[in-house]
Amino acid sequence: MSYQHIRVSYADRVANVELHRPEARNGFTVLMADELAAALAAADADEAVRVVILSGAGKDFCVGADLSGQALEVTNTDIPGGAWVEPATRVARQLFMLRKPVIAAIQGAAVGVGSTMILPADFRLAARNSRFGFVFSRRGIYPEAGSCWFLPRLVGLGRAMDWMVSGRLVPAEEALGAGLVQSLHEPEALAAAAQALAKELVESTAPVSVAVIRQALYRMSALPSPEPAFALDSQLIASLGESADALEGVMAFMQKRPARFSRTVTQDLPAFLPWQEARR
């Protein structure tokens, strides 16, 4: 597929999805949102892809919405019911629904949607020169991309309140201390760190296990009681007798060799997962 505002490449079972408007510091547009959603959906459906890396071209990840004109004009999208979905949510929803791990590699400015779109990623690696900003209160607008749901789960309600209500810029060290990002890197080493993490995930994890764990963490941790998690865990553990991956994982550990997992996300996800119906 041909894209205008992003670039996508594939190598070593990794989909590299890059925001690509460096002349505009990767200012976010409706076209970029729709292209990102399409690229993420394609990566999710492709069994050859095990990991997604999300990055930005140039010195900045994304300086926020492109306010130069009609880049974010409100139009109805072709979805059931005709309800309009704001552009950042189109990306964040697809990231949330993904069955593959996502690594966000952030450098320079990640402001507004540049901060909100990365919240559903599994790993956020940042350059030491990065800075984040949930600046909506300073623009007289509102947070998007479900960030009022994601951010408190990552950094706590108090910190989320501080960052969102004040709208101040958050330096990389503070983001690391709060748990928004997992690690800091020199700008020139950021891409290599993201690729190294992706390689580790590809070589050492089972795709079906990752898909189940990723969604279970989101779906179960938000519930008021652990009882649904207890019930789901019992079903999952009971199903392991039919799992070739479980046998392979144990044998590989015992034989001190790399595991060769054969089950696929498109064919072998447990049918009883409670979020499968919502996905369909």
Side-chain angles (χ1 to χ4, degrees), residues 13 43-51 97-101 205-215 245 261-271 273 275-276 279:
R13 308 204 69 181
D44 192 53
D46 187 349
E47 280 299 343
V49 173
R50 287 290 317 282
V51 180
M97 296 293 290
L98 218 66
R99 298 170 296 185
K100 318 285 176 72
T205 65
V208 172
S209 294
V210 167
V212 172
I213 291 167
R214 187 181 197 277
Q215 288 296 312
D245 279 0
F261 298 113
S262 59
R263 301 176 82 207
T264 66
V265 170
T266 53
Q267 297 294 325
D268 299 308
L269 281 178
L273 295 173
W275 51 86
Q276 286 292 85
R279 183 183 181 88

Side-chain angles (χ1 to χ4, degrees), residues 208-230:
V208 172
S209 294
V210 167
V212 172
I213 291 167
R214 187 181 197 277
Q215 288 296 312
L217 283 168
Y218 272 132
R219 313 284 181 155
M220 298 291 110
S221 65
L223 298 178
S225 164
E227 287 300 329
F230 293 154

Side-chain angles (χ1 to χ4, degrees), residues 3 48 67 69 80 134 174 217 236 241 243 249 264:
Y3 299 106
L67 304 178
F134 302 87
E174 183 178 353
L217 283 168
L236 287 168
S243 169
T264 66

Side-chain angles (χ1 to χ4, degrees), residues 17-22 24-28 32 36 53-64 91 95 103-119 125 129-132 190:
V17 180
E18 181 186 61
L19 282 59
H20 201 273
R21 299 186 70 221
R25 302 175 70 191
N26 296 321
F28 191 74
M32 179 183 285
L36 284 170
I53 295 178
L54 181 64
S55 63
K59 296 182 178 180
D60 295 293
F61 177 72
C62 175
V63 295
V91 179
L95 281 170
I103 302 168
I106 306 111
Q107 79 285 350
V111 178
V113 65
S115 281
T116 60
M117 80 164 81
I118 62 175
L119 298 181
L125 279 54
N129 68 352
S130 62
R131 55 200 182 278
F132 304 84
L190 178 63

